[in-house]
Amino acid sequence: MNLTSYKKALLEGLHEFLRPQGFRRKQNIFTLSRGDMTYYICLQSSIHSTDDTLIATVNIETASASQYRQEELSIPEPLYRSSVKNIGEYEGQAKPHWWTIRDESSLQAARQMITEMLRRHVLNGFTLSGGQGAQRAMAW
């Protein structure tokens, strides 16, 4: 496998996990809108990735439409984020958490760890649809 196939497999796995929760995917960003809030889960590749190694992290971002309007910002609303955190911050890490994926084993380990971190620390804080979709998402 190569960088492109690792990234594709990681994004497909995240999509399978997040879609039943109500997230929509556009390239490497998964979006969930609930009332005034929009939640973003973004897969970020490092510039240090190579042809056969993917170095990636996950960032969690939120945006409030009403806060955007109150702040009268000059940036377009779709680009506005009121909060940005690296997934590692939810585990109490001082630095961003990066995964190095260079084979099938490290790909599966990254998928499992990302899913568990999202499930344990991130998704519980979002207002999700719940129900059977949430139950199916736990299987990723």
Side-chain angles (χ1 to χ4, degrees):
M1 293 180 82
N2 61 24
L3 167 75
T4 304
S5 56
Y6 291 137
K7 188 170 184 178
K8 182 179 178 183
L10 200 52
L11 286 168
E12 287 173 355
L14 280 169
H15 188 63
E16 290 172 22
F17 174 69
L18 294 169
R19 182 182 50 223
Q21 309 266 358
F23 282 85
R24 294 182 179 192
R25 176 182 170 197
K26 186 172 185 180
Q27 297 178 340
N28 65 318
I29 301 173
F30 300 88
T31 307
L32 173 70
S33 294
R34 291 287 181 256
D36 180 58
M37 295 298 297
T38 302
Y39 304 95
Y40 304 89
I41 297 177
C42 310
L43 180 69
Q44 177 185 346
S45 300
S46 169
I47 60 171
H48 301 291
S49 296
T50 63
D51 289 341
D52 60 351
T53 302
L54 171 64
I55 302 172
T57 191
V58 176
N59 295 310
I60 315 304
E61 306 171 359
T62 59
S64 164
S66 61
Q67 184 176 359
Y68 172 82
R69 288 189 294 274
Q70 289 173 356
E71 293 184 18
E72 299 179 14
L73 301 171
S74 60
I75 62 171
E77 187 172 358
L79 300 178
Y80 170 75
R81 303 292 190 268
S82 53
S83 168
V84 178
K85 288 177 84 172
N86 181 270
I87 196 167
E89 293 179 57
Y90 291 93
E91 296 271 313
Q93 299 173 12
K95 295 182 180 180
H97 189 103
W98 290 87
W99 286 269
T100 301
I101 302 167
R102 58 175 53 101
D103 55 30
E104 186 67 30
S105 175
S106 58
L107 172 63
Q108 294 306 320
R111 283 174 61 152
Q112 182 177 359
M113 190 172 187
I114 292 168
T115 301
E116 187 54 37
M117 291 170 84
L118 287 172
R119 181 182 299 124
R120 188 174 44 231
H121 300 293
V122 179
L123 297 182
N124 289 335
F126 294 172
T127 305
L128 300 176
S129 57
Q132 290 182 340
Q135 295 297 326
R136 285 193 304 273
M138 300 300 183
W140 183 58

